[in-house]
Amino acid sequence: MAKFQYKYESIKNVKKSLEKKAQKELAAFDFQIELIKKEIIDLELKKNQIKINTEENKTIKISEVHTKIYYESFLDEAIKTFKDKMIIVEKERAEKLNELISKSKEYKIFKTLENKEQQDFLIEDNKTQQIQMDDISVQKFARGKN
């Protein structure tokens, strides 16, 4: 029995490595999104803490009120910046996801082609073996008559 060798094995391996690379890049975007979400949550907690502290204090100086107002506006601006950054990263993630889907399809095409060629190879190999067995049988039969 002959050994099957897929003629596009190297291309299939390249497609698989590109797919894995796209998966890693997608995971990096997911990690980046999680970090941004965590930052937003932390900033919102700080903002809420300022409001709670302001409500708890019965006597507060005007300068402290101004400082807290400025700090709250600073936090609001930081939250907005992180949300804008998250939108950009999510768009990039969507593009990377589409790229990953494309790479996966390419790899599956070559994998399917390999399976089909392997089946065709096995069928052809079985036919060749059957012909050889038939020839051997005919030769044995012919020798047996003599």
Side-chain angles (χ1 to χ4, degrees):
M1 182 171 173
K3 185 179 177 192
F4 172 72
Q5 288 191 344
Y6 182 47
K7 61 184 174 183
Y8 300 118
E9 186 69 31
S10 60
I11 296 173
K12 184 187 85 170
N13 292 338
V14 169
K15 297 293 183 184
K16 183 65 175 174
S17 67
L18 290 174
E19 179 185 20
K20 285 183 181 182
K21 181 182 174 193
Q23 287 172 341
K24 287 178 185 177
E25 291 172 352
L26 184 66
F29 281 115
D30 288 340
F31 181 71
Q32 207 173 8
I33 288 171
E34 287 304 314
L35 288 177
I36 292 171
K37 285 180 181 178
K38 185 179 178 290
E39 275 300 318
I40 290 172
I41 290 171
D42 289 345
L43 291 173
E44 287 175 347
L45 286 175
K46 285 180 184 179
K47 185 177 168 186
N48 288 336
Q49 190 64 37
I50 290 172
K51 287 182 183 179
I52 291 171
N53 288 342
T54 304
E55 291 171 359
E56 288 177 354
N57 288 339
K58 299 291 180 187
T59 58
I60 192 165
K61 294 180 183 178
I62 292 293
S63 61
E64 289 177 6
V65 171
H66 285 293
T67 304
K68 288 182 180 186
I69 290 172
Y70 288 128
Y71 188 58
E72 277 186 41
S73 66
F74 169 77
L75 291 176
D76 286 337
E77 193 63 35
I79 289 170
K80 182 183 178 305
T81 302
F82 277 112
K83 286 182 178 181
D84 292 344
K85 185 176 180 182
M86 189 161 69
I87 290 170
I88 292 168
V89 172
E90 285 176 341
K91 285 180 184 177
E92 291 173 351
R93 183 193 179 279
E95 291 172 6
K96 191 54 68 176
L97 181 62
N98 289 336
E99 182 181 330
L100 174 61
I101 290 169
S102 172
K103 303 275 185 218
S104 294
K105 285 179 183 178
E106 290 173 4
Y107 173 73
K108 286 179 185 179
I109 288 169
F110 279 94
K111 188 70 178 164
T112 304
L113 182 60
E114 179 184 23
N115 290 339
K116 180 165 178 8
E117 284 189 13
Q118 190 171 20
Q119 289 174 354
D120 292 346
F121 172 79
L122 290 174
I123 291 170
E124 195 62 37
D125 191 49
N126 286 339
K127 285 180 183 178
T128 305
Q129 286 181 2
Q130 187 63 43
I131 290 170
Q132 290 173 349
M133 296 298 277
D134 289 346
D135 287 345
I136 292 171
S137 297
V138 167
Q139 290 173 358
K140 282 187 178 183
F141 180 76
R143 286 185 191 154
K145 281 193 163 183
N146 292 338

